[in-house]
Amino acid sequence: MKKTRLPGILTAVLLIVFCSPVLAAQPEVKRGDHFITVLTGPSSGIYFPIGGSFSTFIGTLGYKTSATATGATAENINALLTGQGEMAIAMADAVIQAVESFGAYEGKPQSKDLRAMMGLWPNVCQIVTTADSGIKSFADLKGKRIGVGAPNSGVEINARMMFEAHGMSYKDCRVDYLNYGEAIDQIKNGLCDAAFVTSGLGNATIRELGTSKKIVFVPVEGEALQRLIAKYPFYVPFTIPATVYGTDADTSTAAVMNIMLVDIKLPDAVVYDLLDNIYSPKGLEAIHASHATAKANITPETALRGILGTSVPLHSGAEQYYKDKGMIK
């Protein structure tokens, strides 16, 4: 994948701006008065360590905080809307569907209280199988046992769209609604042929599978990839480098951004304070230490990626922060 990068000078300017003192006076925040629960994902996935690093760093600022393991995106959206957390990692595509009430959220009330805080990293759609399965293309999934993710999870939403883009449906396979940790365990045991894993690169469960099996990724490419992006423009083309998991070749697929959601009821000054510290040198150092994906992607450059231009509104405190930094008008 050809990555779009800001010119070096502009990148340097962004870093200086984000790490400089705020431009507008903000109310003093009594940090100890606020409890912030960060909703993450399964302990086997990438959401868990990165979300945990946010919680740990926020705790060093004086906030009361905790990180909670969850079923990831779909559970996090529901938990945030029902007051079970203050910050939540979620895939942008599922959030957009919840806000607009389509796809997995068709027929449900629009989730108008969802608010974005910051962009995080691209979640890569990794359809993993093994060399002994004989699966080399998406069409080869027909008749196979496929782990598509927990029902209505971010992973399962992606799986459904991938099938659609290839002119297929779940009826073409023997589908198991397993989270990817469970599905990969089933692959090891010979009870599953392939699994959808929508995650950052370097997923621990895929790496572990590679210690006992030769990993193969099912590509999403050509006209199917074009149809996917045309209908769901929050997807972007992505390449899984062979070096990440030791596969024989790079694999074409698609990715969607993860974003950090925040409770609409959290005071503006608190959200502003959190962002101001997260994007400080100490904040970025703490979060980058959690995972290579965080280090490579969570920067001032990604602050609004996956958010601007979508139907997902910024929290008013975040909006003020980005205005003060000159990122939005």
Side-chain angles (χ1 to χ4, degrees), residues 27 99 140 155 171 177 275 288 307 312:
V99 171
D140 292 337
V155 175
K171 293 180 181 179
Y177 291 92
L275 282 169
H288 288 173
I307 300 171
V312 185

Side-chain angles (χ1 to χ4, degrees), residues 128 130 183-195 209 213:
V128 63
T130 58
I184 287 178
D185 280 342
Q186 296 288 57
I187 290 175
K188 293 176 189 174
N189 297 328
L191 300 175
C192 192
D193 298 303
L209 177 64
K213 301 274 189 178

